[in-house]
């Protein structure tokens, strides 16, 4: 997914889901051709999603997980037990639903996080400070996003966002956030892209958020006048470009995650800031691709 411009036009917050969306547990949230998106329904589907995550994070990206995770060939942690797991399935693949999972996102609502020790991202970023400034909003965390190589297409990304949007409406969310990653543990190798984010889309004022002080790495690696926006956009990972197209902001400092072999930035996306064209595309009631 490429971005040719940043669009941060403000829009009114969508109506509450009680008047716009009434999803039942297990409903299909979207469908394009042979692909569909919905939440995982069984423990075996979550296990299959963890296997997809292992293929992407470990076999492709070189993450180093626990010995048990490496033995089982599953990316898993304690958060998996209380998060919701958004799936994209290819229904043209023969076999059970577990064999059809080609992409996944892990979703965590604020009330669930607070009942289970907090958000995953709080281990790297000052999430509690951000939440404290918005007591009137409910937050959701997006994490562990991955898609198998053959399915990294516009259709798959559209379905993942259809699912995220429907889920956010269903639960009355006011903002989304989550870590997004650059490959490798050397921020300097991404100086152009990180500097572009710092100078152009840094979250400010009540949305400002930074990495925890002992983990923080500078993103301001080049002066603004030295940053070529077109080249910088080309250097951004597709997931981050997708967030920016929706109207997202980025935290002020990054974190190096040696276990996952990544450099992480925090994405912050208030629902009311989602750009008009994407709000219209997916539908204020999340009905664009719904079954």
């Amino acid at each position: 997914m490429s971005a040719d411009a940043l669009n941060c036009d403000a829009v009114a917050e969508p109506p509450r889901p009680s008047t716009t969306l009434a999803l039942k547990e297990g409903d299909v949230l979207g469908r394009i051709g042979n692909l569909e998106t919905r939440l995982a329904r069984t423990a075996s589907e979550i296990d299959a999603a963890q296997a997809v995550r292992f293929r992407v994070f470990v076999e492709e990206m070189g993450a180093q997980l626990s010995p048990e995770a490496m033995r089982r060939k599953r990316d898993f942690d304690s958060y998996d037990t209380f998060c919701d797991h958004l799936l994209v399935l290819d229904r043209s693949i023969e076999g059970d639903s577990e064999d059809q999972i080609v992409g996944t996102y892990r979703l965590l609502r604020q009330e669930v996080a607070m009942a289970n020790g907090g958000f995953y991202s709080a281990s790297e970023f000052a999430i509690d400070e951000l939440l404290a400034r918005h007591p009137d909003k409910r937050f959701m965390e997006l994490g562990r996003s991955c898609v198998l190589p053959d399915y990294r297409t516009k259709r798959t990304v559209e379905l993942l966002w259809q699912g995220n949007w429907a889920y956010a409406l269903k639960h009355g969310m006011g903002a989304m956030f989550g870590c997004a990653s650059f490959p490798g543990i050397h921020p300097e190798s991404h100086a152009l892209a990180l500097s572009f984010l710092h100078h152009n889309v840094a979250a400010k004022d009540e949305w400002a958020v930074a990495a925890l002080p002992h983990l923080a790495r500078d993103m301001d690696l080049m002066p603004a006048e030295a940053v070529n926006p077109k080249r910088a956009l080309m250097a951004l990972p597709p997931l981050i470009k997708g967030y920016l197209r929706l109207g997202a902001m980025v935290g002020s400092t990054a974190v190096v995650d040696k276990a996952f072999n990544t450099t992480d930035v925090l994405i912050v996306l208030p629902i009311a800031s989602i750009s008009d064209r994407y709000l219209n595309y997916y539908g204020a009631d999340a009905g664009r691709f719904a079954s």
Side-chain angles (χ1 to χ4, degrees):
M1 179 167 51
S2 63
D4 52 12
L6 300 184
N7 188 333
C8 298
D9 297 334
V11 298
E13 187 161 348
R16 285 285 177 173
S18 59
T19 62
T20 62
L21 189 65
L23 296 178
K24 298 177 182 178
E25 193 68 29
D27 276 356
V28 172
L29 303 180
R31 183 178 288 116
I32 303 177
N34 56 299
L35 299 179
E36 71 176 37
T37 186
R38 61 169 173 78
L39 296 181
R41 297 168 178 165
T42 64
S44 61
E45 288 186 347
I46 295 174
D47 179 77
Q50 293 169 339
V52 169
R53 284 159 35 183
F54 186 91
R55 289 172 61 182
V56 174
F57 298 143
V58 177
E59 295 178 356
E60 182 179 345
M61 298 175 60
Q64 293 295 317
L65 306 182
S66 69
E68 177 67 8
M70 301 299 281
R71 184 187 67 79
R72 289 176 49 191
K73 294 190 175 182
R74 299 290 188 275
D75 166 44
F76 66 90
D77 62 24
S78 60
Y79 286 83
D80 285 325
T81 61
F82 51 82
C83 287
D84 285 321
H85 299 262
L86 184 69
L87 310 176
V88 171
L89 302 96
D90 182 352
R91 287 307 196 184
S92 70
I93 297 175
E94 293 186 6
D96 297 327
S97 60
E98 291 84 356
D99 304 312
Q100 298 172 337
I101 297 170
V102 299
T104 184
Y105 244 115
R106 192 167 74 179
L107 311 180
L108 178 57
R109 305 191 308 278
Q110 184 171 351
E111 62 268 29
V112 177
M114 295 303 103
N116 290 277
F119 284 109
Y120 178 86
S121 301
S123 64
E124 293 187 344
F125 295 92
I127 301 300
D128 291 343
E129 297 175 13
L130 177 64
L131 301 182
R133 292 196 296 270
H134 298 276
D136 59 325
K137 289 185 173 61
R138 301 170 67 203
F139 285 73
M140 63 180 276
E141 180 181 59
L142 310 177
R144 286 301 203 272
S145 61
C146 64
V147 175
L148 294 178
D150 289 346
Y151 291 87
R152 290 172 191 165
T153 65
K154 181 180 179 182
R155 288 199 312 169
T156 309
V157 173
E158 284 180 346
L159 276 179
L160 284 170
W161 274 106
Q162 170 74 12
N164 286 334
W165 180 232
Y167 185 92
L169 281 181
K170 176 185 178 182
H171 293 287
M173 297 293 103
M176 309 178 192
F177 70 88
C179 294
S181 301
F182 289 82
I185 60 174
H186 302 290
E188 299 78 12
S189 65
H190 302 288
L192 177 62
L194 290 172
S195 298
F196 172 84
L197 296 176
H198 174 83
H199 293 303
N200 292 278
V201 292
K204 295 181 173 63
D205 302 323
E206 74 271 20
W207 294 104
V209 62
L212 298 177
H214 67 288
L215 298 175
R217 300 288 294 270
D218 287 340
M219 295 169 57
D220 184 11
L221 302 174
M222 295 172 60
E225 59 272 17
V227 175
N228 181 308
K230 184 175 181 179
R231 289 181 56 210
L233 285 168
M234 292 176 63
L236 286 172
L239 179 64
I240 295 179
K241 286 190 281 191
Y243 284 130
L244 297 188
R245 292 180 72 183
L246 289 166
M249 302 171 285
V250 179
S252 60
T253 46
V255 172
V256 167
D257 186 339
K258 293 183 178 179
F260 274 84
N261 192 34
T262 58
T263 296
D264 299 339
V265 298
L266 190 74
I267 302 294
V268 181
L269 179 58
I271 296 296
S273 295
I274 294 180
S275 60
D276 279 318
R277 60 177 175 152
Y278 287 96
L279 186 68
N280 292 335
Y281 185 66
Y282 288 104
D285 63 350
R288 163 72 170 164
F289 301 113
S291 56

